[in-house]
Amino acid sequence: MTYIAKPKFHHPKLPTNKLGYTRRDYEGAISTLCAGCGHDSISAAIIQACFELDLPPHRVAKLSGIGCSSKTPTYFLGSSHGFNSVHGRMPSVLTGANIANRELIYMGVSGDGDSASIGLGQFAHSLRRGVNMVYIVENNGVYGLTKGQFSATSDKGSKSKRGVVNTDEPIDLIGMALQLGATYVARSFSGDKAQLVPLIKGAIVHHGAAFIDCVSPCVAFNNHPGSTKSFDYVREHNEAVNRLDMIVGRDEITADYAPGTVEPVTQHDGSVIFLRKLATDYDPHDRIAAMTYLQERQAAGEIVTGLLYVEKESRDLHDYLNTVETPLNALGDAELCPGSKALDKFNASHR
Ligand SMILES: Cc1ncc(C[n+]2csc(CCOP(=O)(O)OP(=O)(O)O)c2C)c(N)n1
Ligand code: SF4
Ligand SMILES: [Mg+2]
């Protein structure tokens, strides 16, 4: 056995959600990551988000690549579908599963090595195609699993634990996600659960490619002075542009906000994301302005977090391809074999 099962018993008075599940029902096996690893906090945020959204665990499919980050789906949603794929290949496996069955909620969990190095092409194409998914990169700026080499997201000039200076330019996954057309783009920090949980909830109800870059310090190899992905550095340079509240579809909206303080953004399923602006000059619906703002703040040494871009009328790959609504494994003979006349007509159209 490669994981440690968690005991099932819990306090009888734990709060339950609308499905009668406790938060414990959304947990997985006991984590074997280093104590204090940022990735465990992200798993806890995913558990909280799914519990609060009343998601039936069997409706979620979690997919990952290889790395400490990619191990984490074992530690949350133990009753959901899961597939631990090959290094950097999560996006194509997720795309295939999504095309075959659009009824599940797809959660792709990856690392900065997994997505910004070996899997960069896969990352790019899944976002530009608009695959309906939550794509989370647990970004620690190192290859944690293979003992702390610089990754492609390590900042130029940042120092390794042994004092080596990184001379390569970093890849900014947020900048790429914006440029590639992702319709929900957010950045957060594993140490800020209050910000991260609503961002994950918003990404789950979003229809289209939702990308979250979550800075997640590696306490074993990248949490020292000189690292720009350490807990201290991120806390000191974190600049949140907005805060989110979520009202899930069909719930009565009872939140009482002073006019002008928040902007409601209605999602495909009727859920409403309430955006509370913190930076008055930031517009999360203007892709180009968002790209410029992020570059400017980055040059000033800030790590901008929050919901950085959201498209109001978003579409996904199924909308573009006009695919059948029914999962492929539920199609009957009649739909799969429309008969020789239909085949003749189709062939004729290509002559
Ligand atoms: C094809 C292939 N190449 C290289 C490796 C070795 N390898 C395993 S994990 C990893 C990097 C993981 O880094 P990241 O995705 O940032 O995850 P982290 O451990 O930092 O969370 C590498 C290079 C592999 N498993 N497969
Ligand atoms: S090596 Fe780093 S990324 Fe991996 S579990 Fe330990 S702290 Fe987390
Ligand atoms: Mg990493």
Side-chain angles (χ1 to χ4, degrees):
M1 191 162 84
T2 54
Y3 63 88
I4 310 160
K6 210 176 260 184
K8 278 281 171 208
F9 52 81
H10 60 72
H11 193 279
K13 293 212 172 113
L14 272 188
T16 51
N17 63 12
K18 281 188 187 153
L19 300 178
Y21 291 136
T22 69
R23 198 183 165 286
R24 293 292 309 272
D25 294 312
Y26 293 85
E27 293 178 352
I30 291 175
S31 172
T32 56
L33 302 186
C34 305
C37 176
H39 298 350
D40 278 335
S41 307
I42 302 175
S43 297
I46 293 172
I47 289 167
Q48 189 68 25
C50 294
F51 169 74
E52 289 180 11
L53 282 178
D54 308 307
L55 288 189
H58 69 274
R59 283 207 51 229
V60 181
K62 359 162 237 177
L63 295 101
S64 61
I66 298 291
C68 298
S69 35
S70 292
K71 284 171 70 178
T72 63
T74 304
Y75 314 134
F76 60 81
L77 298 177
S79 307
S80 299
H81 307 276
F83 195 96
N84 188 200
S85 72
V86 180
H87 198 24
R89 275 34 169 215
M90 175 276 286
S92 55
V93 179
L94 188 153
T95 304
N98 183 304
I99 284 293
N101 183 356
R102 60 158 82 183
E103 287 186 352
L104 299 180
I105 294 159
Y106 290 93
M107 198 171 283
V109 177
S110 181
D112 42 311
D114 201 59
S115 281
S117 295
I118 194 168
L120 191 62
Q122 299 239 340
F123 163 82
H125 293 294
S126 65
L127 293 187
R128 64 179 266 279
R129 285 172 150 175
V131 179
N132 189 15
M133 62 180 170
V134 181
Y135 191 140
I136 301 180
V137 168
E138 306 192 342
N139 190 349
N140 52 17
V142 285
Y143 295 170
L145 190 73
T146 52
K147 307 265 179 273
Q149 302 85 349
F150 284 127
S151 81
T153 66
S154 304
D155 287 311
K156 190 173 185 178
S158 67
K159 279 194 190 139
S160 74
K161 204 173 169 183
R162 291 186 169 180
V164 179
V165 177
N166 180 34
T167 52
D168 295 340
E169 288 294 339
I171 286 176
D172 176 18
L173 292 173
I174 287 288
M176 285 192 72
L178 285 168
Q179 197 262 322
L180 289 162
T183 46
Y184 182 105
V185 180
R187 189 190 276 131
S188 192
F189 170 43
S190 63
D192 188 351
K193 207 171 166 188
Q195 182 193 53
L196 182 55
V197 172
L199 282 176
I200 295 172
K201 287 165 74 178
I204 290 172
V205 299
H206 181 73
H207 179 70
F211 174 64
I212 304 177
D213 177 31
C214 190
V215 185
S216 174
C218 168
V219 291
F221 300 110
N222 206 11
N223 195 34
H224 47 271
S227 159
T228 54
K229 298 275 192 292
S230 66
F231 278 110
D232 285 348
Y233 187 91
V234 182
R235 281 200 188 103
E236 280 160 25
H237 297 82
N238 188 348
E239 214 41 62
V241 288
N242 47 37
R243 285 268 162 192
L244 258 67
D245 289 327
M246 280 280 312
I247 306 285
V248 182
R250 295 183 298 277
D251 275 6
E252 190 194 351
I253 296 174
T254 51
D256 187 16
Y257 295 111
T261 56
V262 290
E263 182 209 349
V265 187
T266 306
Q267 297 298 292
H268 197 254
D269 69 345
S271 303
V272 184
I273 296 172
F274 287 94
L275 267 173
R276 191 190 306 269
K277 280 194 160 208
L278 298 180
T280 43
D281 55 340
Y282 192 79
D283 178 3
H285 307 299
D286 185 338
R287 194 183 282 276
I288 313 248
M291 288 162 90
T292 310
Y293 184 94
L294 284 160
Q295 296 266 344
E296 283 170 3
R297 301 325 306 159
Q298 194 174 314
E302 284 172 14
I303 302 168
V304 177
T305 58
L307 181 53
L308 306 173
Y309 179 74
V310 59
E311 203 158 294
K312 287 182 182 164
E313 306 290 327
S314 57
R315 303 181 74 208
D316 86 326
L317 184 58
H318 287 281
D319 300 327
Y320 298 131
L321 297 181
N322 196 21
T323 52
V324 62
E325 293 274 345
T326 316
L328 301 189
N329 67 357
L331 289 175
D333 285 352
E335 293 97 342
L336 290 170
C337 181
S340 53
K341 270 195 190 154
L343 182 64
D344 289 345
K345 196 174 160 201
F346 178 76
N347 284 340
S349 73
H350 288 279
R351 288 201 177 101

